[in-house]
Amino acid sequence: ILFRPPGYVEPETKVEEPKSNGGMFKLPANLVPEAPKQPKPKCLVVIDAPNVARKHGNKLFSTKGISICAEYWQQRGHEVVAFLPEHYVSSKPTAGNTITLDQYFPKVDDMGLIEKLERAGILFYTPP
C-alpha cells in the first residue's frame, strides 16, 4: 500500500495508439523522457570580506574565512565577489596626520591568499 497525501491526484497515463511504424509501440506519455531543462541562472553572491574574515577568526582577521566562504558558493554554481576596504592591506598617512606603527601594518593575516583571491577575480578593493 502506497501512502498518498491528502489531495493527491494520480497523474493521467496516456498511451499513444500504435501507428504504422513497423509494429513498434510508443511509450506512455508519462514515461517519455523530457527535453533537458535549462539551468536557472544563479544569483551573484557578494561577500562583505572584513565581516566574514573577523567572524571566522573569532574577532581576528582570517583571510581563510573569505576563501572558505567564496569556495562554498562557487561549488554551488554561483558567481562570487568579495569586497575589502583598501586600508586592510595598506595604510598611508595623510598629510598632517600621524598614525601609530600598529595602524600602519596591514590588518590581514595572509597577504598571499588575499593576492590569490584578487588574481582569481573574486576579491576587489574598495576606497578607504
Side-chain angles (χ1 to χ4, degrees), residues 87 89-93 99-107:
H87 68 84
V89 295
S90 64
S91 293
K92 297 175 187 158
I99 61 172
T100 65
L101 191 56
D102 182 51
Q103 292 171 323
Y104 183 78
F105 285 120
K107 296 174 179 75

Side-chain angles (χ1 to χ4, degrees), residues 59-79:
K59 297 188 180 178
L60 297 174
F61 196 96
S62 169
T63 305
K64 188 172 182 179
I66 301 168
S67 180
I68 290 170
C69 184
E71 186 177 313
Y72 174 87
W73 290 109
Q74 285 178 326
Q75 287 177 348
R76 284 152 181 80
H78 293 271
E79 183 181 348

Side-chain angles (χ1 to χ4, degrees), residues 20-71:
S20 59
N21 59 0
M24 301 294 290
F25 289 98
K26 291 193 175 194
L27 290 172
N30 64 337
L31 296 178
V32 175
E34 295 179 12
K37 294 180 181 178
Q38 294 293 330
K40 292 181 181 178
K42 300 281 187 166
C43 296
L44 171 68
V45 174
V46 178
I47 299 171
D48 179 4
N51 284 326
V52 169
R54 296 189 88 156
K55 184 67 174 178
H56 182 261
N58 197 18
K59 297 188 180 178
L60 297 174
F61 196 96
S62 169
T63 305
K64 188 172 182 179
I66 301 168
S67 180
I68 290 170
C69 184
E71 186 177 313

